[in-house]
């Protein structure tokens, strides 16, 4: 049985996460524009702003440091390319979740308060997720994959 292309699987997963954030943001905009959910009071807005900024900052900083550590562990692993790719995939999924979580929280903040600052924060997280999209050439270099390992990960050998 032929293995699926590991690079494409990772790209599809990333695209699904990115599109889900975009779709949720569009739904939020529609809900707010049609006034289907009333805006909350200013007290919740101030508290939620503080929470969103703190969560965003902590998750981005901690997430990137964790990702970097896990990526280096994958790079330095002496196992086969498939094992290094599994470690890298796990690092990416964790990193993307730590980008997406605060973005979704900010979108909920926008829905509840109708404050565009929350939507701007959500768009920032969408942009971050877009920037950290997986690229085959980068993965090959980062993981020190041989041409034979790349072929196996692509499902051609």
């Amino acid at each position: 049985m032929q293995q699926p292309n590991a690079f494409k699987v990772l790209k599809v997963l990333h695209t699904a996460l990115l599109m889900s954030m975009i779709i949720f943001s569009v739904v939020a905009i529609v809900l707010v524009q049609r006034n289907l959910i009333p805006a909350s009071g200013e007290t919740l807005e101030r508290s939620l702003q503080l929470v969103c900024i703190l969560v965003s900052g902590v998750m981005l900083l901690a997430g990137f440091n964790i990702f970097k550590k896990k990526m280096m562990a994958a790079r330095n692993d002496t196992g086969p390319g498939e094992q290094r790719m599994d470690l890298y995939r796990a690092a990416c999924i964790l990193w993307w979740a730590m980008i997406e979580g605060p973005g979704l929280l900010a979108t909920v903040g926008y829905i509840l308060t109708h404050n565009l600052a929350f939507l701007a924060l959500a768009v920032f997280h969408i942009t971050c997720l877009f920037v950290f999209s997986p690229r085959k050439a980068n993965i090959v270099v980062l993981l020190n994959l041989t041409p034979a390992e790349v072929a196996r990960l692509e499902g051609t050998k």
Side-chain angles (χ1 to χ4, degrees), residues 114-136:
H114 299 195
N115 184 335
L116 286 172
F118 289 106
L119 186 60
L121 184 59
V123 169
F124 170 74
H125 281 271
I126 290 169
T127 304
C128 286
L129 190 58
F130 177 77
V131 167
F132 286 101
S133 101
R135 291 170 190 83
K136 178 183 163 188

Side-chain angles (χ1 to χ4, degrees), residues 47-153:
S47 301
L48 203 51
Q49 283 177 346
L50 181 63
V51 168
C52 283
I53 292 297
L54 287 174
V55 168
S56 181
V58 168
M59 294 292 268
L60 288 176
L61 290 173
F64 185 72
N65 286 326
I66 292 169
F67 171 73
K68 198 166 56 171
K69 250 184 231 175
K70 288 183 175 281
M71 186 202 49
M72 290 309 292
R75 177 185 179 97
N76 296 329
D77 191 277
T78 57
E82 292 85 351
Q83 183 176 331
R84 291 194 311 266
M85 184 64 174
D86 288 343
L87 293 171
Y88 181 75
R89 182 182 312 111
C92 285
I93 291 169
L94 181 62
W95 173 223
W96 295 335
M98 292 181 88
I99 293 172
E100 186 174 23
L104 295 175
L105 179 63
T107 305
V108 170
Y110 172 65
I111 292 170
L112 294 175
T113 65
H114 299 195
N115 184 335
L116 286 172
F118 289 106
L119 186 60
L121 184 59
V123 169
F124 170 74
H125 281 271
I126 290 169
T127 304
C128 286
L129 190 58
F130 177 77
V131 167
F132 286 101
S133 101
R135 291 170 190 83
K136 178 183 163 188
N138 291 354
I139 296 169
V140 170
V141 170
L142 287 171
L143 298 180
N144 291 324
L145 297 173
T146 65
E149 290 171 328
V150 171
R152 282 196 314 268
L153 288 170

